Amino acid sequence: MSYSNLTAIPNEADMAMLSATLREGFSILPAEVDIGIAPEAATLTLSYGASKLLAVGSAVATGRTRLIVYNKGPAQIKVGKSSESAIYEDGIPIEPGQRVIFRFDAEASTPVQLYGRSMGYKCEVEIAEV
């Protein structure tokens, strides 16, 4: 599985954003966001079937450069951009209580759609698209 325009917490700017998020307590959004679009946030419940990770509506936010995923549930979740079986085998794991920031190339011709699934119990996750 190729994640050519997708990385997880790769640089100083993302680490600063993650630090700001953590300082805000359990809020998925940092106190300030200066990356071009208004943030959209949602709480989703993931189960064993793959679900789209979208903050609002049924499509990826226009101009999105980041997707923040915070696992509030009791089980590991996996995030990927393909079918349920591919997520199960090759998905990026996010442990309970962990936050991960996925960076996207906002200029990519096709936006990457990510899916999440719980690897055990139903898991509540907070997501933000910015």
Side-chain angles (χ1 to χ4, degrees):
M1 178 176 293
S2 173
Y3 291 94
S4 61
N5 64 347
L6 170 67
T7 56
I9 314 179
N11 62 34
E12 266 182 59
D14 287 337
M15 291 304 290
M17 186 175 186
L18 179 59
S19 294
T21 301
L22 294 173
R23 280 195 302 272
E24 292 300 307
F26 291 101
S27 173
I28 193 68
L29 295 173
E32 293 182 35
V33 177
D34 185 24
I35 52 178
I37 66 169
E40 297 283 358
T43 300
L44 307 172
T45 300
L46 299 180
S47 61
Y48 200 63
S51 298
K52 287 183 180 182
L53 296 178
L54 298 170
V56 68
S58 60
V60 170
T62 303
R64 173 184 74 174
T65 59
R66 307 281 192 281
L67 178 72
I68 304 168
V69 180
Y70 170 47
N71 182 357
K72 295 174 64 175
Q76 179 189 76
I77 64 170
K78 286 196 174 181
V79 174
K81 63 176 192 173
S82 192
S83 69
E84 290 181 28
S85 60
I87 293 171
Y88 180 77
E89 295 169 7
D90 300 322
I92 297 168
I94 303 175
E95 298 297 331
Q98 183 181 16
R99 288 178 176 91
V100 174
I101 299 173
F102 296 92
R103 288 179 8 126
F104 301 94
D105 178 2
E107 312 251 337
S109 58
T110 305
V112 174
Q113 174 61 68
L114 291 182
Y115 296 82
R117 71 183 292 180
S118 173
M119 299 310 291
Y121 300 100
K122 288 185 177 180
C123 283
E124 189 173 87
V125 294
E126 287 184 0
I127 63 165
E129 290 183 279
V130 289

